Amino acid sequence: MTPVRIGLLNYADVLNFGDVLFPLLAERELQARLPKASFAFISPSGAEVAGRKAVRYDRAMLEDHDALLMCGGEIVHRFDAMLSGIYERFGLGAIAQPTDLVFGWTRTPGPFKAWVGLGVPAPTPEAGAAIGAALPGLDFVAARGSRSRARLEARGAAAGSVRQCRDIGWLFPRLLRGRPAPPPPAGGKPYLAVQAFTIPDPDALARRLEAVAGRLGVAIVLVPLTTCWADEASLERLRQASGGAFAVVDYRMDVLDKLAILGGAPGYIGQSMHGFIGAAAQGRPAGIWAADGDDKFAELLGDAGLGDLRTGDATGIERLAGQIFAAGGARFLAAAAEAEANVDVLFDALAAAIASHGPRRHG
């Protein structure tokens, strides 16, 4: 097989749980299908993340690749001010318009170009125009869910040209194969993993979680997953509100160890979509804490038949915790198996398309 050079464009440098894992997963799955492929990680800042070196996005150097892929995430938007604010807080010298990582390369001549399992929030006029301009330049488009596919089709995608797939994060557990498990965070006691970055009343939430812990016979372990939103600070306030009764995971912990902690929990409740997926993909009961809306959570839960596993505010935490524990793992194992099979088909099709496109003639 002829070697193929693949550029994996990613937002791992915003230090959001799913965004860090997506390029690691894409590399793993494609390497298994294209053994001679080589990979470069490309991000808006070029910062090293999870021990992986990256290069700063530069449109001029992309033509040297045989394939350019954007894999995973709710990223088909033009929220540059939001992303720039994150990079400024981290002191990273990112490109002026970070969303060029999604749109700026789609007309690059030569390489195979793909959006793989991307989420599409309700487009602003600027994003709608950018989507319409990008789609003709892509060789492969897979939308993460029914709403995302409909939004791409509404912006000019030809009928039948957009694949619909499950979130690629349902394959995250494969990244743990052969990796030693981290020490249990609650001294070996069963625990409910909790994540949040918006906590209006930490004292009230602490009382609700204490009630859950007592009723279900579990510890509470707070797991920061969204450094981009400083959830470690919110969770520390929650720990303090508990009088130190809740354990908290160091937000700087290796992201794969965090994934293993989600897999070791009898349950997860949080505001991180990929915290939910990371737990549910390992057969762990999980619930979402987020206000109801036309959003990524509604798409994820609706397409997976898990629409009841959500509470709109903290007052529903006790109900949701009881509900997910009562459901047990079988429901989540079934959802994970279905999603895993779906995403395997996606990566099979992607690898075949890359191989069919062939390498560019360099030099």
Side-chain angles (χ1 to χ4, degrees):
M1 181 181 294
T2 305
V4 177
R5 293 190 281 187
I6 299 175
L8 293 175
L9 298 109
N10 67 84
Y11 285 106
D13 54 359
V14 304
L15 303 183
N16 188 29
F17 181 68
D19 291 302
V20 176
L21 292 174
F22 289 139
L24 301 177
L25 178 68
E27 179 185 47
R28 181 197 184 282
E29 294 303 313
L30 289 169
Q31 192 82 74
R33 293 164 170 84
L34 301 169
K36 291 190 176 182
S38 62
F39 298 86
F41 284 22
I42 304 165
S43 67
S45 73
E48 180 176 315
V49 177
R52 293 302 305 267
K53 293 183 178 179
V55 295
R56 189 173 186 267
Y57 175 85
D58 180 352
R59 166 69 180 77
M61 60 93 169
L62 296 182
E63 293 182 22
D64 291 335
H65 294 82
D66 301 304
L68 298 170
L69 312 177
M70 193 94 219
C71 300
E74 180 87 347
I75 55 176
V76 184
H77 59 69
R78 276 294 196 183
F79 302 146
D80 285 296
M82 175 193 73
L83 291 167
S84 293
I86 293 170
Y87 291 120
E88 288 171 10
R89 292 199 306 276
F90 292 163
L92 296 177
I95 58 176
Q97 288 189 289
T99 63
D100 282 352
L101 197 77
V102 178
F103 300 105
W105 50 273
T106 55
R107 296 298 185 97
T108 301
F112 175 89
K113 298 174 288 295
W115 285 351
V116 185
L118 303 190
V120 186
T124 62
E126 183 182 11
I131 292 168
L135 287 170
L138 295 167
D139 300 292
F140 187 104
V141 180
R144 184 196 66 191
S146 54
R147 300 184 189 206
S148 293
R149 183 183 65 179
R151 286 166 179 163
L152 293 180
E153 290 175 344
R155 268 72 190 176
S161 67
V162 177
R163 294 173 177 266
Q164 181 178 323
C165 65
R166 296 297 178 84
D167 192 288
I168 66 171
W170 287 97
L171 300 189
F172 283 162
R174 295 182 181 181
L175 294 169
L176 298 177
R177 292 177 179 174
R179 181 183 175 87
K189 184 177 181 180
Y191 56 94
L192 175 67
V194 175
Q195 182 276 339
F197 55 86
T198 301
I199 305 176
D201 188 341
D203 292 324
L205 179 58
R207 290 193 297 273
R208 290 190 173 95
L209 289 173
E210 286 164 356
V212 168
R215 184 176 302 116
L216 299 176
V218 297
I220 301 297
V221 173
L222 310 178
V223 187
L225 299 174
T226 57
T227 305
C228 53
W229 305 125
D231 66 349
E232 70 277 8
S234 297
L235 292 174
E236 173 58 22
R237 288 192 290 273
L238 180 57
R239 186 196 69 81
Q240 293 175 8
S242 77
F246 302 162
V248 63
V249 169
D250 189 330
Y251 77 98
R252 296 162 296 187
M253 175 183 281
D254 186 285
V255 68
L256 292 176
D257 286 341
K258 291 183 182 181
L259 178 62
I261 285 173
L262 295 178
Y268 163 88
I269 292 176
Q271 297 171 348
S272 165
M273 175 172 170
H274 289 96
F276 175 95
I277 290 174
Q282 298 179 77
R284 299 305 188 181
I288 292 290
W289 168 22
D292 292 334
D294 179 10
D295 58 14
K296 61 185 180 182
F297 301 117
E299 179 178 62
L300 164 71
L301 298 174
D303 287 350
L306 302 173
D308 56 312
L309 302 177
R310 179 174 185 167
T311 181
D313 58 44
T315 63
I317 290 289
E318 294 173 72
R319 173 199 61 77
L320 183 60
Q323 181 180 349
I324 66 171
F325 273 77
R331 182 180 183 189
F332 296 89
L333 285 169
E338 180 184 8
E340 182 179 14
N342 177 278
V343 180
D344 264 331
V345 169
L346 172 69
F347 274 111
D348 287 345
L350 176 63
I354 293 170
S356 176
H357 187 268
R360 298 185 62 235
R361 297 290 178 258
H362 303 283

